[in-house]
């Protein structure tokens, strides 16, 4: 666990020193939400509010998480002697989840200020948001670990990522809409458990596949 924490700190300090990726993502996030506000004048139905929020979060996640392994290309051989593949992917999964969760909360704050606040059940909405971020960050981390070995990374990200994120998006968007429509936990308990199960499956597949792609 000490090595995992060291790798997480390394990713944090690399992003903090570069700052350009973080600034670009925040600018992209703010400009996208503001453009949405200008297009709809802040008045949208609950269905549109929910759909736009997850669309913005999805494309922000692609920009934020797709770089996970691209910056590691020159450090690959060093990590062969330092850490096991399971430790590397565990650190990446934790950091990507924390990174995307922070972006999601910033996005939610800006979005609520500009587009209104239809959220009634905050704990349930936040729980669904956490599970959605866990699924998206895990899926894009897994796809990024596979794509960074190929020559056409952007194409590989699109081809491999789309079928993986579909079940996460369907469940997260459906749960979110029902929560906004005043559903309580007992009414969507099955969907919440299913979403968590999909997240666990993606994480398990990542741990199974990563050692082979890392050593190839």
């Amino acid at each position: 666990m000490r090595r995992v924490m060291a790798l997480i700190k390394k990713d944090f300090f690399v992003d903090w020193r570069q700052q350009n990726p973080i600034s670009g993502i925040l600018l992209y996030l703010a400009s996208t939400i503001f453009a949405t506000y200008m297009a709809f004048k802040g008045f949208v139905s609950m269905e549109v509010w929910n759909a736009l929020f997850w669309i913005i979060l999805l494309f922000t996640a692609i920009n934020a998480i797709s770089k996970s392994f691209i910056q590691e290309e020159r450090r690959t051989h060093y990590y062969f002697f330092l850490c096991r593949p399971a430790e590397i992917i565990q650190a990446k999964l934790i950091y990507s989840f924390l990174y995307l969760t922070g972006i999601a909360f910033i996005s939610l704050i800006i979005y609520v200020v500009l587009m209104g606040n239809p959220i009634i059940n905050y704990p349930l909405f936040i729980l669904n948001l956490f599970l959605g971020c866990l699924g998206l960050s895990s899926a894009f981390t897994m796809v990024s670990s596979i794509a960074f070995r190929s020559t056409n990374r952007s194409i590989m990200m699109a081809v491999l990522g789309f079928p993986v994120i579909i079940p996460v998006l369907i469940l997260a968007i459906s749960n979110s809409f029902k929560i906004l429509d005043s559903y309580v936990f007992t009414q969507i308990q099955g969907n919440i458990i299913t979403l968590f199960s999909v997240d666990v499956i993606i994480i398990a597949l990542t741990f199974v596949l990563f050692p082979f792609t890392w050593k190839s």
Side-chain angles (χ1 to χ4, degrees):
M1 197 62 195
R2 185 170 53 190
R3 292 175 183 172
V4 173
M5 293 303 298
L7 290 171
I8 294 173
K9 289 180 182 178
K10 182 271 304 176
D11 282 336
F12 174 78
F13 284 123
V14 167
D15 284 341
W16 181 259
R17 287 171 183 172
Q18 291 180 351
Q19 290 191 351
N20 290 334
I22 299 176
S23 302
I25 290 170
L26 292 178
L27 178 61
Y28 171 83
L29 183 64
S31 60
T32 304
I33 296 176
F34 184 74
T36 304
Y37 167 75
M38 294 298 294
F40 290 94
K41 301 299 181 182
F43 297 101
V44 294
S45 64
M46 187 172 61
E47 296 88 345
V48 176
W49 189 97
N50 183 53
L52 289 174
F53 174 75
W54 283 100
I55 289 171
I56 293 171
L57 184 59
L58 170 63
F59 285 100
T60 306
I62 294 173
N63 292 327
I65 310 299
S66 61
K67 65 176 182 61
S68 294
F69 283 90
I70 295 175
Q71 63 186 12
E72 305 297 346
E73 193 167 9
R74 296 179 181 178
R75 303 187 182 97
T76 301
H77 298 292
Y78 174 65
Y79 285 149
F80 273 138
F81 300 97
L82 181 65
C83 302
R84 294 191 298 271
E87 295 170 341
I88 297 171
I89 195 61
Q90 185 178 349
K92 286 293 183 183
L93 287 170
I94 294 173
Y95 182 76
S96 297
F97 171 65
L98 296 176
Y99 192 56
L100 184 58
T101 302
I103 291 174
F105 274 98
I106 295 173
S107 173
L108 181 61
I109 292 171
I110 300 174
Y111 196 71
V112 164
V113 170
L114 294 179
M115 302 295 293
N117 182 18
I119 304 172
I120 299 174
N121 192 340
Y122 274 96
L124 194 54
F125 188 88
I126 296 300
L127 173 62
N128 182 66
L129 184 60
F130 267 120
L131 294 177
C133 289
L134 179 61
L136 292 177
S137 61
S138 302
F140 285 125
T141 300
M142 178 182 68
V143 173
S144 177
S145 69
I146 299 172
F148 99 107
R149 290 293 191 183
S150 63
T151 54
N152 299 317
R153 292 170 181 167
S154 58
I155 298 176
M156 287 292 291
M157 284 288 295
V159 171
L160 296 175
F162 183 73
V164 178
I165 64 172
I166 285 298
V168 176
L169 279 179
I170 291 176
L171 290 167
I173 293 174
S174 175
N175 291 343
S176 181
F177 175 72
K178 291 177 180 179
I179 294 167
L180 294 177
D181 199 25
S182 302
Y183 278 55
V184 296
F185 179 77
T186 53
Q187 294 175 290
I188 60 170
Q189 182 178 358
N191 284 357
I192 293 290
I193 295 174
T194 303
L195 178 57
F196 178 71
S197 302
V198 171
D199 294 346
V200 171
I201 291 172
I202 294 173
I203 294 172
L205 285 174
T206 305
F207 274 96
V208 171
L209 295 175
F210 180 73
F212 298 101
T213 60
W214 188 248
K215 294 178 180 179
S216 62

